Amino acid sequence: QVQLVESGGGLVQAGGSLRLSCAASRRIFSIDVMGWYRQAPGKERELVARMTTSGRTNYADSVKGRFTISRDNAKNTVYLQMNSLKPEDTAVYYCNAVGRLYSYSPMDNYWGQGTQVTVSS
């Protein structure tokens, strides 16, 4: 079984910065996409940012220009640098990976346990 281990959440004032990290707990044959989703109370989980192995990125409109996603493919690690944080960024942030555990495995979705980000006004 693969676990995605997240770190870096916490409490920050509006305008501040946080950096989230996520690493796979074991070697995975291949990961096509790694990214971050978030879920605020009473809302559905939404995409924040994701990056393919080749470096192509997608960002939610609400975070463009403020958040930056990056990856270390060799370490199966993904980062999310969050600047100019706003109270509306408050949510549980989940790491996601789409890949194959072994060469013969089907593509699968893997999720982290979530890390709380709270932005105070």
Side-chain angles (χ1 to χ4, degrees), residues 31-79:
I31 297 180
D32 285 5
V33 183
M34 293 193 81
W36 294 91
Y37 289 71
R38 67 186 181 186
Q39 188 166 19
K43 295 188 177 181
E44 293 188 353
R45 190 174 297 188
E46 63 175 0
L47 172 70
V48 177
R50 61 187 175 192
M51 177 180 270
T52 67
T53 304
S54 62
R56 189 170 69 244
T57 58
N58 292 105
Y59 289 93
D61 288 342
S62 59
V63 307
K64 285 180 180 177
R66 300 188 297 121
F67 291 10
T68 303
I69 189 170
S70 59
R71 279 179 65 172
D72 184 333
N73 293 329
K75 296 181 179 180
N76 286 338
T77 301
V78 65
Y79 307 95

Side-chain angles (χ1 to χ4, degrees), residues 5-110:
V5 182
E6 300 140 334
S7 61
L11 173 64
V12 65
Q13 288 188 332
S17 299
L18 284 174
R19 187 177 189 240
L20 305 182
S21 300
C22 170
S25 62
R26 56 167 288 179
R27 184 70 180 170
I28 299 176
F29 174 73
S30 67
I31 297 180
D32 285 5
V33 183
M34 293 193 81
W36 294 91
Y37 289 71
R38 67 186 181 186
Q39 188 166 19
K43 295 188 177 181
E44 293 188 353
R45 190 174 297 188
E46 63 175 0
L47 172 70
V48 177
R50 61 187 175 192
M51 177 180 270
T52 67
T53 304
S54 62
R56 189 170 69 244
T57 58
N58 292 105
Y59 289 93
D61 288 342
S62 59
V63 307
K64 285 180 180 177
R66 300 188 297 121
F67 291 10
T68 303
I69 189 170
S70 59
R71 279 179 65 172
D72 184 333
N73 293 329
K75 296 181 179 180
N76 286 338
T77 301
V78 65
Y79 307 95
L80 185 68
Q81 178 65 43
M82 304 185 294
N83 298 329
S84 302
L85 282 160
K86 303 176 181 180
E88 51 263 44
D89 294 317
T90 295
V92 177
Y93 284 69
Y94 295 92
C95 178
N96 171 260
V98 180
R100 301 176 191 274
L101 183 56
Y102 303 106
S103 61
Y104 51 82
S105 302
M107 295 292 287
D108 205 350
N109 249 311
Y110 302 97

